[in-house]
Amino acid sequence: MIDLRRFSTTDDATAAAAWFIMARLQTKPDLVLGVATGATMVPIYANMVAAHRAGVADFSQLRCFSVDEYVGLPATNPASFRATMGAHFYDPIGIDPAHCFVPDAMAANLVAEAARYDAAITDAGGIDLMMLGIGINGHIGFNEPPADFAGRTCLVELTAETLNANKRQFTDDVVQPTRAITMGVATIMDAREILLVATGAGKRQAIARACAGPVTPTCPASILQTHRRVMAILDEAAASGL
Ligand code: F6R
């Protein structure tokens, strides 16, 4: 069952998500955190950066694994998820780059790279806390519907819906990738704890399906209902369909 926490504003929800993560970091300084990108996550990272600057959070031992990365974008491209994580979180907190893991989406053999990345998560001891956003089509990571609930980290084709939702991340001079490497649903479900965050009315339907609908591959996030330790932090707009 998903432990639902509703907040009246987006600011309150994202601050609560940041403090939830930092509370886990306090009990385990070398926390292995699965990290997502996207608009939902930006204020969460901003709250954690503010806590770092205020000297109330220590990220020096944190290890981060990105949930996904676009194929064909080098880490130096500002539209890559690696660069996005750098700009919003890694650079301001001064984390050791050796603690930041992301699939190499420029690898010659992307299938082998996906398997290597999955193994690297296992080698790190597995993910303690997995941060997730949700797509308007119910995707988690880039596991598009219909999702393979048994899937490990893999190469995926993005749906037209996701390409459209994410096109704002790309300036005119960058061709939007249509493929990504994503942690698979089973890789995500292996995390010891999951934190799903959704804000805004655009996520209303996806959240209603994910949290209160049937568990079905047509709504990939609905599998989270079967995880033993999962919390959803929602603002009122995202929660309004529940
Ligand atoms: C991004 C990711 C995606 C996003 C989701 C929501 O790393 O894995 O699943 O979390 O598409 O994106 P936003 O927050 O931009 O609505």
Side-chain angles (χ1 to χ4, degrees):
M1 214 177 76
I2 301 181
D3 180 3
L4 297 170
R5 305 292 170 104
R6 301 165 76 129
F7 293 83
S8 45
T9 68
T10 306
D11 283 353
D12 287 350
T14 51
W19 287 102
F20 179 88
I21 296 162
M22 291 188 286
R24 290 291 182 268
L25 184 67
Q26 202 159 28
T27 49
K28 188 171 189 272
D30 63 346
L31 190 79
V32 178
L33 182 67
V35 290
T37 48
T40 312
M41 300 298 147
V42 170
I44 301 176
Y45 295 129
N47 273 279
M48 293 202 281
V49 167
H52 165 76
R53 291 193 173 133
V56 294
D58 177 4
F59 296 99
S60 58
Q61 295 180 60
L62 175 71
R63 290 165 293 160
C64 295
F65 281 85
S66 284
V67 66
D68 43 22
E69 179 60 287
Y70 286 120
V71 164
L73 292 187
T76 48
N77 189 310
S80 70
F81 285 161
R82 176 62 183 80
T84 306
M85 286 305 303
H88 291 289
F89 191 44
Y90 297 156
D91 298 345
I93 62 168
I95 193 172
D96 181 347
H99 289 189
C100 307
F101 299 84
V102 62
D104 177 5
M106 298 294 287
N109 185 337
L110 294 164
V111 173
E113 170 57 14
R116 184 204 64 79
Y117 192 68
D118 212 274
I121 295 170
T122 307
D123 290 348
I127 290 172
D128 293 308
L129 176 61
M130 182 77 229
M131 289 168 81
L132 291 177
I134 186 170
I136 48 177
N137 61 1
H139 75 207
I140 46 173
F142 274 143
N143 295 283
E144 304 280 39
D148 174 8
F149 284 165
R152 310 297 311 180
T153 302
C154 60
L155 180 64
V156 289
E157 295 282 342
L158 301 173
T159 59
E161 211 169 15
T162 295
L163 292 172
N164 190 43
N166 289 1
K167 65 175 183 234
R168 60 186 150 74
Q169 296 167 352
F170 297 90
T171 48
D172 289 347
D173 53 330
V174 183
V175 177
Q176 184 177 10
T178 58
R179 295 186 302 163
I181 291 181
T182 183
M183 286 186 198
V185 174
T187 311
I188 290 170
M189 291 293 283
D190 278 349
R192 285 182 271 282
E193 186 171 18
I194 295 177
L195 175 65
L196 175 69
V197 185
T199 56
K203 300 294 171 66
R204 178 178 184 276
Q205 207 188 358
I207 283 296
R209 291 185 70 204
C211 300
V215 176
T216 164
T218 61
C219 179
S222 65
I223 191 69
L224 300 176
Q225 294 177 33
T226 69
H227 195 278
R228 60 200 172 281
R229 203 170 178 211
V230 54
M231 179 183 282
I233 291 186
L234 312 168
D235 70 1
E236 204 41 55
S240 59
L242 288 170

